[in-house]
Amino acid sequence: MFGVVPKSIWNKTNPADENNLCTWAMRCLLIEDDGRLILIDNGLGNKQDARFFSHYYLHGDDSLAKSLHTAGFSEDDVTDMFLTHLHFDHCGGGVYYQQDVLALTFRNATYWSNEDHWKWATHPNPREKASFLKENILPIKESGHLSFINPGEKSPFDCFDIVYVSGHTDKMMIPRISVNGKVICYMADLLPSVGHIPLAYVMGYDTRPLITLEEKEKFLNEAADRQYILFFEHDPVNECCTLKRTEKGVRLDRVFPLSEVVA
Ligand SMILES: [Zn+2]
């Protein structure tokens, strides 16, 4: 998760267990906007086998279904399923086994990706192959619910535009959401946690780490200058933060829960 940064450093803030596994979140974001219910990413789902879950075991009582229901909604209410990218921990919850047949979890929703990323994910390179699982991806197209939003096109959403970044994987989509006069960025794997703010903290998973460095630097400067709120998908503790410029570069300013920004 921290690439070339030595374990002796990252283990202080993100301690690994006896199997060398760390704790991470899969925090999705639900947006209610003018009759639309937009879900950003959906975790890894529950359809993988025991062997898979021995590498990525789930813990705690939270589930996407439970969170949706607590917010007063059901899976059928989701109109738009926005997928930042198609790695299994971001899109696996969008497809499930209905008896023995793969079906869409959000059967009334349009599933959003982009053309280049879709090609990248459906013809994967050997390095990323284990992250793009056919059972998470192909049923979306087969269902007829797949739509693309490509770079340069107008966002189909009133409340957010999209930043495309290609260091982690090809054309990952970062939603930049306007709410209550503020801007919330859903960081996906561009910045998985507050621990990844210093530039060199780039995940080993990234396919083009030098591009990630450039994209991160550009994004962090913009976020500090415009006081964006960063929303973390994978940070096990922190939901949101702001950034500030320092002599060492852009650093963490303040962490806070999302409830501080939206009621
Ligand atoms: Zn990823």
Side-chain angles (χ1 to χ4, degrees):
M1 281 299 284
F2 293 101
V4 297
V5 177
K7 184 175 176 183
S8 54
I9 295 177
W10 61 253
N11 200 53
K12 288 178 195 150
T13 48
N14 296 73
D17 70 9
E18 64 276 13
N19 295 316
N20 208 28
L21 297 172
C22 296
T23 299
W24 299 101
M26 288 175 290
R27 192 174 288 113
C28 312
L29 186 64
L30 189 68
I31 305 170
E32 216 184 341
D33 185 43
D34 208 13
R36 282 169 99 165
L37 194 64
I38 308 159
L39 182 60
I40 314 283
D41 283 357
N42 56 40
L44 55 67
N46 57 11
K47 67 185 167 303
Q48 257 53 56
D49 59 16
R51 194 181 141 85
F52 179 93
F53 282 115
S54 73
H55 302 305
Y56 304 99
Y57 66 79
L58 300 174
H59 56 95
D61 307 320
D62 289 331
S63 73
L64 180 53
K66 214 161 117 179
S67 302
L68 262 178
H69 298 159
T70 306
F73 300 107
S74 82
E75 285 84 344
D76 290 354
D77 296 327
V78 176
T79 60
D80 298 272
M81 181 61 251
F82 185 92
L83 300 166
T84 59
H85 62 302
L86 295 165
H87 286 164
F88 63 79
D89 54 322
H90 298 257
C91 71
V95 174
Y96 75 110
Y97 276 112
Q98 190 178 42
Q99 270 98 45
D100 289 335
V101 183
L102 290 165
L104 296 192
T105 311
F106 309 100
R107 57 182 179 165
N108 298 320
T110 300
Y111 281 51
W112 294 94
S113 180
N114 67 70
E115 219 164 320
D116 286 344
H117 185 69
W118 186 267
K119 269 188 215 146
W120 186 262
T122 50
H123 301 88
N125 60 71
R127 187 179 155 98
E128 266 182 287
K129 209 175 167 147
S131 294
F132 291 126
L133 308 180
K134 285 194 201 75
E135 61 271 34
N136 287 338
I137 298 173
L138 300 182
I140 302 173
K141 178 140 198 221
E142 284 157 15
S143 72
H145 284 235
L146 176 65
S147 267
F148 292 141
I149 161 70
N150 298 312
E153 292 174 6
K154 190 183 175 304
S155 170
F157 306 100
D158 291 337
C159 58
F160 67 87
D161 66 356
I162 297 157
V163 179
Y164 293 82
V165 283
S166 292
H168 176 64
T169 183
D170 202 57
K171 307 248 176 17
M172 178 167 70
M173 304 196 282
I174 307 294
R176 200 163 42 177
I177 306 147
S178 301
V179 55
N180 300 342
K182 301 206 164 87
V183 174
I184 301 175
C185 300
Y186 186 90
M187 295 314 301
D189 285 346
L190 177 61
L191 214 71
S193 74
V194 295
H196 290 83
I197 293 171
L199 274 187
Y201 286 64
V202 172
M203 290 195 289
Y205 301 108
D206 284 25
T207 54
R208 303 174 180 122
L210 295 178
I211 301 292
T212 298
L213 278 181
E214 286 172 20
E215 291 171 341
K216 251 179 93 170
E217 188 170 24
K218 182 167 177 259
F219 182 88
L220 290 173
N221 284 321
E222 181 181 316
D225 291 345
R226 300 193 192 170
Q227 282 300 292
Y228 289 164
I229 293 161
L230 276 47
F231 180 88
F232 295 107
E233 186 163 14
H234 289 312
D235 194 299
V237 180
N238 306 297
E239 288 179 4
C240 299
C241 86
T242 48
L243 301 171
K244 62 180 177 197
R245 283 182 183 265
T246 73
E247 280 168 13
K248 288 179 173 173
V250 174
R251 288 291 181 272
L252 178 69
D253 187 12
R254 206 169 66 80
V255 293
F256 48 93
L258 185 65
S259 58
E260 203 178 281
V261 190
V262 286

